Amino acid sequence: QPLAAGMVWQRTPGVPRLRGLIDPRVALLGALFLNILSVSLVVPSLPGKYRDLGLRGWRFGTVGAVYSACQIVGGMLLGMASDRFLGRRGLLLVSFAGASTSYALVAVAESLPALVASRVVIGLTQQCNTAVHAMMSELTA
């Protein structure tokens, strides 16, 4: 079938995409850079916020464990959703939406439950690296 002007075939047959000005690999690396930059700006401020709210000792480790448990659960759930109906681009968008929600919650949080909730949100949705690696391998294969 002929394609409309400006359209090219992706690696997946039958799925046309617009020809862009930026190479998709560069866009993915930019998305990965933004993700790493946002993490490196927010995460170092968390211990101070936790201390200001009275979190000390083993409770500090418990909050980290909650985040890690949510990463495991979120990875499985978002992986399944990505395979079934989100797709990799949708997974990337959900990841960025969850990260921005979590970081906004960190900025306005005045209580320990709000900070823990922000770590739960980011743990469940932060799959940006996974999505970028999968998309990059698809583009370079």
Side-chain angles (χ1 to χ4, degrees), residues 91-105:
L91 174 62
L92 196 59
L93 292 174
V94 166
S95 180
F96 275 117
S100 62
T101 302
S102 173
Y103 297 149
L105 190 55

Side-chain angles (χ1 to χ4, degrees), residues 64-80:
V66 166
Y67 168 74
S68 298
C70 289
Q71 275 273 189
I72 293 169
V73 172
M76 290 186 291
L77 292 176
L78 286 177
M80 182 178 61

